[in-house]
């Protein structure tokens, strides 16, 4: 597909000014000090149930943290931004959010999030992912990546994650039947998406 009328935007890079504050959260790059909190998330048996990876041991978490610590900016298509999510009330990292730059020509990106179950049910994942959508869609001149469309891909059984994407205003666009073989079984994949103009229209709505 050719570049659209706003393709000039996609020459940009994303280097957010940290920390990023939301009502209850602080989003910032990962550091080596986050090992204990990341280990608590990635070693929890419930967390990777619908993810590509399995419960991680200390060495695997250390390796992942090393990689995550390098992912604080997006410069090229294919890059991923990964941020630690600090729940200020608990004074600890309770999860991670990510933005993957999928396509320059199509202005496409993908949002991701993984949270500790002890901090579920409070809207924290939705709040953090909402900040990621802001980074994705805000024009480069205002510090964002200026994307056209952001997707979320989930295992069809991951209903909690589907609700997060729906709360973000994303549309359920596709249900692929047994299109992936993950951890020894065929799985269905569901794809959600939101366009920048839809995201902007939601932000313009008065809150009641
Ligand atoms: C997916 C995941 C982040 C969802 O967690 P979650 O706690 O349901 O999501 P949130 O933090 O946004 O919380 C939303 C829930 O809190 C409730 N809530 C309470 N206070 C809230 C508030 N102030 N604002 C919004 N929601 C609030 C919501 O009603 C919602 O509950 P419901 O879905 O039962 O209606 C979590 O299950 C997870 O990390 N799983 C493992 C990793 C994973 O699968 N990631 C997704 C990969 S695609």
């Amino acid at each position: 597909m050719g570049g659209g009328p706003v393709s000039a935007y996609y020459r940009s890079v994303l280097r957010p000014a940290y920390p990023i504050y939301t009502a209850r959260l602080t989003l910032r790059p990962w550091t080596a000090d986050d090992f204990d909190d990341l280990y608590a998330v990635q070693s929890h048996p419930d967390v990777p149930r619908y993810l590509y990876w399995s419960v991680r041991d200390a060495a695997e978490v250390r390796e992942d943290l090393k990689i995550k610590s390098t992912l604080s900016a997006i410069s090229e298509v294919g890059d991923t931004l990964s941020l630690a999510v600090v729940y200020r009330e608990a004074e600890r990292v309770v999860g991670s959010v990510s933005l993957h730059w999928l396509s320059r020509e199509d202005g496409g990106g993908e949002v991701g999030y993984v949270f500790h179950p002890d901090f579920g049910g409070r809207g924290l994942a939705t709040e953090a992912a909402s900040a990621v959508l802001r980074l994705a869609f805000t024009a480069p001149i205002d510090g964002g990546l200026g994307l056209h469309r952001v997707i979320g891909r989930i295992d069809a059984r991951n209903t909690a994650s589907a609700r997060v994407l729906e709360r973000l205003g994303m549309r359920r666009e596709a249900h692929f039947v047994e299109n992936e073989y993950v951890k020894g079984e065929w799985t269905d994949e569901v794809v959600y998406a939101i366009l920048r103009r839809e995201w902007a229209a939601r932000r313009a709505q008065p809150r009641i």
Side-chain angles (χ1 to χ4, degrees):
M1 277 183 218
V6 290
S7 59
Y9 273 164
Y10 309 142
R11 278 182 213 111
S12 87
V13 295
L14 181 64
R15 287 182 200 290
Y18 295 117
I20 296 167
Y21 294 109
T22 67
R24 296 171 292 174
L25 307 170
T26 302
L27 278 54
R28 55 150 176 83
W30 293 92
T31 74
D33 292 342
D34 296 324
F35 174 79
D36 288 347
D37 289 340
L38 186 62
Y39 180 76
V41 174
Q42 297 194 337
S43 65
H44 194 292
D46 294 345
V47 168
R49 180 164 297 146
Y50 301 124
L51 304 179
Y52 293 125
W53 45 274
S54 301
V55 167
R56 287 184 172 148
D57 63 22
E60 291 167 325
V61 173
R62 205 159 279 124
E63 192 55 35
D64 188 53
L65 182 55
K66 211 187 289 173
I67 296 167
K68 278 184 164 49
S69 306
T70 67
L71 304 180
S72 61
I74 286 182
S75 329
E76 303 283 345
V77 170
D79 283 358
T80 299
L81 179 84
S82 172
L83 300 177
V85 180
V86 178
Y87 183 27
R88 291 196 294 276
E89 189 180 308
E91 297 182 338
R92 57 170 281 186
V93 173
V94 296
S96 61
V97 280
S98 63
L99 175 66
H100 182 65
W101 191 9
L102 287 169
S103 165
R104 180 183 297 274
E105 290 78 10
D106 304 323
E110 178 176 347
V111 64
Y113 38 79
V114 176
F115 277 71
H116 194 293
D118 286 358
F119 297 92
R122 306 171 203 217
L124 300 180
T126 305
E127 187 171 319
S130 178
V132 171
L133 286 188
R134 191 167 66 242
L135 290 176
F137 286 128
T138 298
I141 195 164
D142 294 318
L145 197 55
L147 295 183
H148 171 64
R149 172 184 152 96
V150 173
I151 65 165
R153 294 186 304 126
I154 62 173
D155 184 310
R157 297 168 296 183
N158 198 346
T159 50
S161 186
R163 289 196 296 276
V164 170
L165 298 174
E166 280 160 13
R167 270 191 297 275
L168 291 170
M170 298 177 87
R171 178 179 42 253
R172 192 181 179 99
E173 291 195 340
H175 183 135
F176 298 109
V177 178
E178 294 192 12
N179 71 323
E180 290 188 310
Y181 192 72
V182 184
K183 298 181 204 168
E185 59 179 340
W186 290 107
T187 61
D188 288 12
E189 183 183 40
V190 165
V191 179
Y192 280 81
I194 185 169
L195 302 175
R196 182 168 44 165
R197 63 173 178 270
E198 295 167 335
W199 168 82
R202 278 173 59 86
R203 281 164 61 89
Q205 278 167 15
R207 307 249 171 224
I208 33 175

